Amino acid sequence: MVFRQNLAQVEERIVRACQASGRRRDEITLVAVSKVFPAEAILEAYEAGLRDFGENYVQEFEGKHPLVKHLGDARFHLIGHLQSNKTRKAGELFQVVQTVDTPKLARRLNEVGRPLDVMIEVKLSEEDAKSGADPREIPQLVSEIGACPQLKLLGLMTMPPWDEDAEESRPYFRRLYAIAQEHGLKALSMGMSHDFEVAIQEGATHIRVGTALFGKRQRK
Ligand SMILES: *Cc1c(COP(=O)(O)O)cnc(C)c1O
């Protein structure tokens, strides 16, 4: 029951943000971030009507996959950094990889030989630990992905430095929107539990929401 209450609250926030910025609810895909939570959490969210799920770790999702693979119309998004030695597994398990940040990763995912939707993860801050492509590398990445017959480039993804003040995320979201416009890309994956309203105002098409749906994560 807690999940359904959380979902109702998240939905209400999404609808309000859409109204406040003149957008339609159906322009926004809610990606439920189920990392750390067991497969049962995905099943419960699916029952409640959600179809898009975000996972951070290939190996962790591999463990849940047998329990959720029968959900034929569910889409699983990899939203965590992808190491090149895990590309085959990732290409087999996920429908969307949001974290492509090098041409090599794109080529390897293409070699899996199965159609895959991808986004380019863009790094917009100087934080060392963050993965993602430098904005200057995007033109080359766009053309590399365009040359990969199995890959379909949906758009861009980013994760600003964490700050409890959602307004701190706004410049990053605005920047990602501008970069996507420059390259004619439609999808923008940005915004998490604490700042997705701001992301919607700035053009998000995919918001990645964990805590507000599933509660606080215990580990990792
Ligand atoms: C964990 C995670 C989220 C969800 O964060 P919440 O604050 O729990 O909503 C979104 N995007 C990425 C890349 C994450 O790793």
Side-chain angles (χ1 to χ4, degrees):
M1 270 341 277
V2 178
F3 179 81
R4 288 195 183 240
Q5 285 164 8
N6 290 347
L7 177 58
Q9 281 173 6
V10 167
E11 270 303 326
E12 204 180 301
R13 286 174 60 192
I14 295 172
V15 167
R16 257 188 273 127
C18 285
Q19 284 167 350
S21 48
R23 303 192 60 198
R24 291 194 326 265
R25 171 64 188 89
D26 66 5
E27 293 172 30
I28 319 289
T29 300
L30 172 58
V31 180
V33 177
S34 43
K35 66 173 173 221
V36 177
F37 289 94
E40 287 71 22
I42 297 174
L43 297 173
E44 187 179 12
Y46 183 92
E47 273 299 304
L50 295 186
R51 292 296 178 268
D52 290 82
F53 301 93
E55 289 276 341
N56 284 60
Y57 311 98
V58 176
Q59 214 159 328
E60 180 188 329
F61 183 58
E62 197 179 358
K64 302 178 197 180
H65 189 251
L67 298 162
V68 299
K69 65 173 188 221
H70 63 286
L71 308 174
D73 58 348
R75 283 165 63 77
F76 295 99
H77 302 241
L78 180 66
I79 62 170
H81 177 63
L82 177 58
Q83 293 164 287
S84 56
N85 64 345
K86 298 241 168 69
T87 45
R88 170 156 296 279
K89 260 275 109 72
E92 288 167 1
L93 296 177
F94 291 94
Q95 282 72 44
V96 188
V97 173
Q98 294 199 4
T99 49
V100 174
D101 60 358
T102 63
K104 181 179 159 194
L105 214 47
R107 283 194 295 271
R108 289 217 176 182
L109 286 169
N110 185 58
E111 285 162 9
V112 177
R114 182 175 169 270
L116 188 66
D117 287 345
V118 301
M119 298 188 196
I120 297 171
E121 182 182 3
V122 185
K123 176 181 150 127
L124 296 175
S125 71
E126 291 312 311
E127 269 179 300
D128 290 333
K130 285 269 161 61
S131 48
D134 185 288
R136 285 167 298 198
E137 297 167 347
I138 293 174
Q140 196 209 342
L141 266 164
V142 169
S143 83
E144 283 279 349
I145 294 169
C148 291
Q150 299 288 356
L151 305 186
K152 180 175 163 209
L153 180 59
L154 303 179
L156 307 177
M157 178 267 207
T158 201
M159 186 155 147
W162 203 90
D163 194 298
E164 63 181 323
D165 180 2
E167 281 302 324
E168 293 294 317
S169 301
R170 192 183 296 277
Y172 296 94
F173 296 157
R174 204 164 270 185
R175 179 100 193 279
L176 197 73
Y177 178 84
I179 296 171
Q181 291 288 300
E182 248 174 71
H183 295 92
L185 296 169
K186 291 212 170 69
L188 280 175
S189 174
M190 57 191 197
M192 321 200 309
S193 289
H194 71 293
D195 60 6
F196 70 70
E197 286 98 336
V198 175
I200 289 171
Q201 289 163 16
E202 298 298 334
T205 61
H206 293 66
I207 56 174
R208 309 180 306 267
V209 180
T211 311
L213 288 172
F214 296 109
K216 276 209 160 51
R217 289 179 288 273
Q218 297 300 316
R219 56 186 174 83
K220 274 174 184 166

